[in-house]
């Protein structure tokens, strides 16, 4: 064959197709076909064409069987062995610009981990293991708080070096911590309900009967919403004549309650994040309950979702437990009037403490406002086990900080630590837990739970408002008075506080 014939055959696609049609499918067919003897003595140029085409086929189909080597032995058995030793992946070739073409992936190579390739990092946001890790990681028990992409990437990069601690394990470890934390139902034969909390429990149980929650002045307005056949016990008849100001206040509360009910329904239907529930529902209930009378009594609330426990020594001694994201959502606080005697006394006490705070957190907006009641929120589908661990951690830090305050005032051992109410919210439902510290056993008992109301109906929201007001009464008359006497060393009556 002349040089011109070779160039003609190389440029003619029909000749190439004809040659490919005679190519056997499997190497074992080589010795049983006429193809082997017919094309044994090809020219060097023709072999070059065939070799490059076979290489191209292997690149396109990396799992295809490799062709026989041009230099293989003509004998049968040795030829078979030579063919079997030929690697599947061909040598890389060079393109037009001299760059090496990318070889096909080696099936025996170690798989690339998720997240190493830029296009795969987004999978971490939807990886069930990543979501679980974000909730139960030792330093990341949270809730369903939304994660930014940067947080997710940073978390995924460090997850391999951290040990995870599930909420159930954390709860079990809490029982064996240096200050044991036990959960008890109400009632419990093993852990009697604390007598100091019994009046509060009785009043909250009375509110569960929903008697006298609404003022009689709004009955005509409310009947269309609540139904004409509602019992008279739902309405409260005032002992004295209602003033126009009081009538306005009752009417304003009614319309605010309707707005809260609508917002709670929207949050549930839209499957809103916890932050939306806090803004649209929970903050409004707390504000409606505490505005006016209780605010004038130094009782208010604060959103503390960004407040962290400032010292690891305040945490329960549980392996793998970290202060990271051990947060609660709200606190009912003692908030004295600015420039009042109580305000000055608390600020001086705060300045005398090395951490410059009187709480288990050093967040600037509550560091000089005593936290009385803590509140943890979870969406309807949130993990209650996580809420339990967060409240256990938070109340342990609270009690430890109270002991530090008493010790700084040389009052440690003189005063018993008070009960600490905890509010746990799951979707629409609000429940009260009562924490009790037992000095002799060095143990915290959390008694749960007492229903406070719900946000899925108007009457349930009225019950919630009344329940929060009863908790505010406990803070004003009992906790605030104890704190002033035990921590400040001042008779609360001299400040006009307490009963």
């Amino acid at each position: 064959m002349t040089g011109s014939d070779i160039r003609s055959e190389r440029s003619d696609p029909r000749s190439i197709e004809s040659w490919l049609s005679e190519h056997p499918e499997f190497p074992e067919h080589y010795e049983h076909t006429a193809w082997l003897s017919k094309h044994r003595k090809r020219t060097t140029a023709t072999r070059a064409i065939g070799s490059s085409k076979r290489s191209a086929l292997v690149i396109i189909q990396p799992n295809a069987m490799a062709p026989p080597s041009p230099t293989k032995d003509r004998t049968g058995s040795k030829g078979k062995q030579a063919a079997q030793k030929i690697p599947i992946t061909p040598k890389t070739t060079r393109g037009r610009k001299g760059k090496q073409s990318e070889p096909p992936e080696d099936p025996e190579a170690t798989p690339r981990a998720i997240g190493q390739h830029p296009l795969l990092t987004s999978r971490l946001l939807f990886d069930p293991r990543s979501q679980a890790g974000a909730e139960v990681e030792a330093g990341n028990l949270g809730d369903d708080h939304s994660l930014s992409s940067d947080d997710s990437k940073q978390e995924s990069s460090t997850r391999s070096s951290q040990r995870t601690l599930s909420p159930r394990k954390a709860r079990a470890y809490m029982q064996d911590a240096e200050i044991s934390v036990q959960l008890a139902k109400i009632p419990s034969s093993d852990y009697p309900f604390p007598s100091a909390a019994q009046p509060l429990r009785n009043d909250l149980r009375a509110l569960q009967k929903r008697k006298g929650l609404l003022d009689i002045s709004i009955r005509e307005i409310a009947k269309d919403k609540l139904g004409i056949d509602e019992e008279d016990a739902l309405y409260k008849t005032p002992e004295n004549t209602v003033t126009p100001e009081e009538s306005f206040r009752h009417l304003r509360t009614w319309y605010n309650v309707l707005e809260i009910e609508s917002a709670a329904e929207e949050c549930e239907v839209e499957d809103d994040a916890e932050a939306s529930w806090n803004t649209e529902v929970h903050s409004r209930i707390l504000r409606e309950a505490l505005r006016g009378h209780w605010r004038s009594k130094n009782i208010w609330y604060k959103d503390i979702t960004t407040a962290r426990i400032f010292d690891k020594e305040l945490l329960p001694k549980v392996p793998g437990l970290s202060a990271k994201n051990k947060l609660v959502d709200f606190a009912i606080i003692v908030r004295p009037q600015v420039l009042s005697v109580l305000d000055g006394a608390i600020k001086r006490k705060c300045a005398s403490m090395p951490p410059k705070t009187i709480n288990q957190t050093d967040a600037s907006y509550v560091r000089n406002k005593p936290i009385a009641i803590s509140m943890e929120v979870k969406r309807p589908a949130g993990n209650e086990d996580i809420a339990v661990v967060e409240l256990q951690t938070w109340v342990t830090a609270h009690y430890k900080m109270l002991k530090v305050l008493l010790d700084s005032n040389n009052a440690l051992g003189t005063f018993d630590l008070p009960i600490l109410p905890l509010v746990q919210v799951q979707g629409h439902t609000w429940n009260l837990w009562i924490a009790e510290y037992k000095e002799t056993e060095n143990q915290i008992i959390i008694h749960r739970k007492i229903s406070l109301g719900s946000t899925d109906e108007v009457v349930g929201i009225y019950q919630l408002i009344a329940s929060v007001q009863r908790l505010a009464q406990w803070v004003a008359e009992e906790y605030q008075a104890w704190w002033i006497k035990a921590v400040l060393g001042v008779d609360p009556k001299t400040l006009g506080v307490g009963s």
Side-chain angles (χ1 to χ4, degrees):
M1 182 179 292
T2 64
S4 60
D5 293 335
I6 294 175
R7 287 192 298 271
S8 175
E9 181 180 355
R10 182 183 302 173
S11 61
D12 186 3
R14 290 176 298 176
S15 63
I16 296 175
E17 291 176 1
S18 176
W19 175 81
L20 288 175
S21 65
E22 297 175 344
H23 197 293
E25 289 187 29
F26 304 102
E28 56 264 34
H29 295 167
Y30 296 157
E31 297 177 353
H32 305 285
T33 62
W35 180 87
L36 188 60
S37 59
K38 181 178 179 180
H39 294 276
R40 177 69 65 187
K41 297 181 179 180
R42 292 178 295 162
T43 63
T44 303
T46 308
R47 284 201 303 270
I49 298 173
S51 177
S52 63
K53 289 302 176 181
R54 285 194 297 272
S55 298
L57 287 175
V58 176
I59 293 176
I60 297 173
Q61 298 178 354
N63 292 330
M65 183 62 71
S69 171
T71 59
K72 81 174 186 68
D73 194 348
R74 296 174 183 268
T75 60
S77 60
K78 293 183 179 180
K80 288 184 179 180
Q81 293 177 0
Q84 291 174 358
K85 292 181 180 180
I86 296 175
I88 293 177
T89 305
K91 295 182 179 180
T92 58
T93 58
R94 293 187 177 272
R96 293 182 180 179
K97 295 184 180 181
K99 296 182 179 180
Q100 275 196 337
S101 61
E102 193 71 17
E105 292 187 7
D106 185 355
E108 300 299 327
T110 303
R112 182 179 294 175
I114 294 176
Q116 291 183 359
H117 195 285
L119 296 179
L120 297 178
T121 54
S122 61
R123 289 182 58 183
L124 291 171
L125 299 177
F126 306 98
D127 188 347
R129 294 171 299 176
S130 175
Q131 185 177 0
E135 293 180 348
V136 305
E137 205 159 347
N140 215 13
L141 283 174
D143 56 71
D144 45 25
H145 291 290
S146 300
L147 296 175
S148 67
S149 58
D150 293 337
D151 293 338
S152 298
K153 292 176 183 178
Q154 182 178 4
E155 185 178 324
S156 65
S157 65
T158 59
R159 181 171 295 119
S160 60
S161 62
Q162 295 179 348
R163 296 181 63 86
T164 59
L165 185 67
S166 71
R168 290 186 180 275
K169 286 185 179 180
R171 287 175 56 178
Y173 291 158
M174 292 278 190
Q175 299 177 8
D176 300 323
E178 89 289 7
I179 298 181
S180 174
V181 184
Q182 304 288 339
L183 301 177
K185 291 184 178 181
I186 302 176
S188 171
S189 56
D190 296 329
Y191 303 103
F193 193 77
S195 58
Q198 194 60 51
L200 178 62
R201 178 191 176 193
N202 293 339
D203 291 345
L204 293 174
R205 291 180 65 184
L207 290 174
Q208 293 173 9
K209 299 177 181 179
R210 300 185 172 186
K211 292 184 178 181
L213 293 178
L214 281 70
D215 191 82
I216 194 69
S217 62
I218 65 169
R219 183 171 185 174
E220 289 300 316
I221 300 174
K223 67 180 182 180
D224 292 336
K225 177 70 176 178
L226 302 180
I228 301 176
D229 298 330
E230 288 290 337
E231 297 181 0
D232 292 340
L234 184 63
Y235 298 96
K236 174 178 61 179
T237 303
E239 298 178 359
N240 303 316
T241 304
V242 178
T243 64
E245 181 181 354
E246 291 174 333
S247 296
F248 170 77
R249 188 175 68 251
H250 292 311
L251 191 61
R252 180 190 62 191
T253 299
W254 168 256
Y255 286 113
N256 287 343
V257 167
L258 294 182
E259 288 291 329
I260 292 171
E261 181 197 33
S262 176
E265 181 181 7
E266 178 182 334
C267 286
E268 180 183 28
V269 172
E270 300 292 335
D271 194 26
D272 283 348
E274 186 178 298
S276 296
W277 281 88
N278 286 344
T279 302
E280 300 296 331
V281 181
H282 307 136
S283 290
R284 291 166 124 181
I285 290 175
L286 294 171
R287 181 170 290 271
E288 185 63 37
L290 300 178
R291 73 165 78 223
H293 175 73
W294 294 112
R295 190 168 187 177
S296 68
K297 296 288 186 180
N298 302 331
I299 311 304
W300 196 233
Y301 76 98
K302 210 70 174 174
D303 183 331
I304 59 170
T305 51
T306 60
R308 298 175 181 271
I309 297 172
F310 72 89
D311 195 313
K312 65 180 182 179
E313 293 300 319
L314 297 177
L315 295 171
K317 295 298 185 288
V318 172
L321 196 65
S322 166
K324 182 182 178 183
N325 286 356
K326 295 297 179 297
L327 314 176
V328 295
D329 293 273
F330 292 93
I332 296 179
I333 60 175
V334 176
R335 184 192 184 193
Q337 301 298 320
V338 179
L339 301 180
S340 65
V341 177
L342 179 59
D343 181 54
I346 292 177
K347 288 180 177 178
R348 285 192 296 273
K349 181 66 177 179
C350 182
S352 69
M353 299 296 294
K356 305 302 180 185
T357 180
I358 53 173
N359 292 311
Q360 63 269 41
T361 176
D362 58 356
S364 59
Y365 47 87
V366 289
R367 66 184 185 87
N368 55 8
K369 301 174 180 65
I371 293 175
I373 299 175
S374 302
M375 176 174 164
E376 168 60 21
V377 173
K378 285 287 178 283
R379 295 165 58 248
N383 191 333
E384 185 177 352
D385 285 336
I386 296 176
V388 171
V389 174
E390 288 176 338
L391 285 173
Q392 285 178 315
T393 304
W394 189 259
V395 77
T396 299
H398 196 165
Y399 272 125
K400 285 186 175 183
M401 190 61 192
L402 288 178
K403 295 180 74 172
V404 171
L405 291 171
L406 293 180
D407 190 34
S408 68
N409 197 36
N410 296 321
L412 189 62
T414 305
F415 295 91
D416 292 332
L417 294 178
I419 62 168
L420 292 176
L422 306 169
V423 178
Q424 190 264 333
V425 181
Q426 187 84 31
H428 290 290
T429 305
W430 291 43
N431 288 305
L432 179 70
W433 302 354
I434 300 293
E436 172 192 20
Y437 180 74
K438 291 183 174 292
E439 182 72 35
T440 55
E441 294 89 349
N442 201 26
Q443 186 179 64
I444 298 173
I445 310 298
I446 298 180
H447 304 267
R448 57 179 193 158
K449 47 196 171 177
I450 303 170
S451 176
L452 299 178
S454 62
T455 57
D456 57 354
E457 58 172 342
V458 168
V459 179
I461 296 173
Y462 266 98
Q463 180 192 344
L464 269 178
I465 293 173
S467 297
V468 172
Q469 290 173 342
R470 180 60 183 90
L471 291 174
Q473 180 185 348
W474 174 84
V475 176
E477 297 178 358
E478 298 187 41
Y479 185 80
Q480 181 180 213
W482 177 91
W483 202 93
I484 292 173
K485 183 184 296 185
V487 177
L488 298 181
V490 177
D491 185 354
K493 293 182 180 179
T494 60
L495 302 177
V497 175
S499 53

